[in-house]
């Protein structure tokens, strides 16, 4: 079975400093991994996805994530945080064992950005 | 172009009543998904439709929950005899085709359901 674990429920950074949101996955197969962002009262938006191509994946708004098989990790990073990055971030894995459409979500990490 | 839309945006109902939630997927998307987001359980998959195939109902929490998709487009999620634990945000998503491993799922803004 597939699963994801987001290691921090809340991360707080200052504007202009780096962002690191941590995610570990478990999968019997080569996983498909995603990061989604949810701004308050808004829908989920895809930031980036990994589907066994390049291990370093670049997404929107300056975010990127690196797939590390040896560490079973898929951490999300950004060099410099903006106030507009304050939101909840979800690490997600595609469910091979379930339906073709099933996404399995982590519990989420709430990112706060201080001025 | 237009994204996934859902209605109503908010719904307050009394325990025991039935509710219907609507989802309009992106035009041309053949796959449609329902998820539920609640404080206690996080984001959970409920049901999935792909074209004219039988839906995958493996995530539905009880037989009070059902969904249909008419004409391969609009979908309705129905909750019968609502309970307080049904209070959550119900999210709909669509993608061009099946296969989460390649296709991006685009999410609607959700319907916030409160059962009193």
């Amino acid at each position: 079975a597939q699963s994801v674990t987001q290691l921090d429920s809340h991360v707080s950074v200052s504007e202009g400093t780096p962002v690191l949101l941590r995610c570990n996955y478990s999968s019997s197969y080569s996983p498909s991994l995603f990061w989604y962002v949810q701004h308050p009262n808004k829908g989920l938006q895809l930031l980036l996805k990994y589907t066994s191509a390049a291990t370093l994946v670049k997404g929107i708004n300056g975010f990127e994530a690196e797939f590390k098989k040896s560490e079973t990790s898929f951490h999300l990073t950004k060099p410099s945080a903006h106030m507009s990055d304050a939101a909840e971030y979800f690490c997600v894995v595609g469910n091979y064992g379930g339906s073709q459409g099933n996404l399995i979500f982590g519990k989420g990490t709430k990112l706060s950005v201080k001025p | 172009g237009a994204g996934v839309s859902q209605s109503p945006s908010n719904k307050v109902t009394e325990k025991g009543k039935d509710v219907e939630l609507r989802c309009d997927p992106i035009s041309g998307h053949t796959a449609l998904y329902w998820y539920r987001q609640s404080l206690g359980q996080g984001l959970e998959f409920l049901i999935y439709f792909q074209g004219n195939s039988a839906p995958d109902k493996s995530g539905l929490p009880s037989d009070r929950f059902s969904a249909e998709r008419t004409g391969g487009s609009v979908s309705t999620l129905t909750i019968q005899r609502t309970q307080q634990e049904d209070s959550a945000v119900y999210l709909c998503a669509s993608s061009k085709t099946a296969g989460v491993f390649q296709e991006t799922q685009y999410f609607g803004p959700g319907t916030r359901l409160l059962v009193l």
Side-chain angles (χ1 to χ4, degrees):
Chain A
Q2 288 74 47
S3 66
V4 286
T5 302
Q6 292 184 246
L7 300 172
D8 306 292
S9 58
H10 193 190
V11 169
S12 182
V13 301
S14 296
E15 191 174 21
T17 64
V19 176
L20 170 63
L21 305 183
R22 298 182 295 164
C23 173
N24 287 115
Y25 71 90
S26 174
S27 178
S28 303
Y29 306 92
S30 180
S32 290
L33 294 161
F34 311 78
W35 277 96
Y36 277 84
V37 61
Q38 187 176 36
H39 288 91
N41 300 315
K42 296 285 182 67
L44 285 158
Q45 181 183 22
L46 179 70
L47 277 178
L48 50 83
K49 66 180 179 182
Y50 167 78
T51 53
S52 74
T55 56
L56 182 63
V57 182
K58 294 188 182 299
I60 62 171
N61 300 335
F63 285 94
E64 62 182 36
E66 186 172 8
F67 173 73
K68 291 187 176 180
K69 185 176 180 179
S70 60
E71 299 177 9
T72 61
S73 69
F74 190 57
H75 302 333
L76 182 70
T77 60
K78 184 174 180 177
S80 175
H82 294 164
M83 295 297 293
S84 60
D85 294 329
E88 189 154 23
Y89 292 78
F90 294 92
C91 183
V92 183
V93 65
N95 184 11
Y96 279 92
S99 77
Q100 283 290 308
N102 192 354
L103 294 176
I104 298 173
F105 285 78
K107 295 293 186 186
T109 298
K110 188 172 182 180
L111 176 66
S112 300
V113 182
K114 298 175 289 187
Chain B
V4 178
S5 61
Q6 293 185 245
S7 61
S9 55
N10 290 281
K11 176 72 177 178
V12 180
T13 190
E14 295 178 348
K15 178 181 174 181
K17 300 280 190 183
D18 297 351
V19 295
E20 285 189 352
L21 313 179
R22 178 188 168 105
C23 171
D24 283 271
I26 293 172
S27 177
H29 281 194
T30 63
L32 186 148
Y33 320 80
W34 284 97
Y35 295 84
R36 177 170 70 173
Q37 186 174 24
S38 58
L39 283 176
Q41 301 299 321
L43 259 154
E44 309 169 278
F45 164 76
L46 296 177
I47 187 169
Y48 154 72
F49 296 88
Q50 169 55 36
N52 296 319
S53 302
D56 181 329
K57 306 178 183 179
S58 59
L60 294 179
S62 78
D63 59 8
R64 295 186 296 105
F65 288 73
S66 63
E68 63 178 21
R69 189 177 185 193
T70 54
S73 181
V74 171
S75 177
T76 302
L77 178 69
T78 301
I79 309 173
Q80 296 178 310
R81 305 181 302 281
T82 52
Q83 303 295 311
Q84 289 179 332
E85 61 262 30
D86 299 334
S87 296
V89 177
Y90 289 82
L91 295 168
C92 177
S94 70
S95 65
K96 288 181 183 178
T97 62
V100 67
F101 315 112
Q102 298 299 329
E103 293 294 337
T104 297
Q105 293 186 21
Y106 297 87
F107 283 79
T111 294
R112 188 175 299 273
L113 174 66
L114 177 61
V115 182
L116 300 176

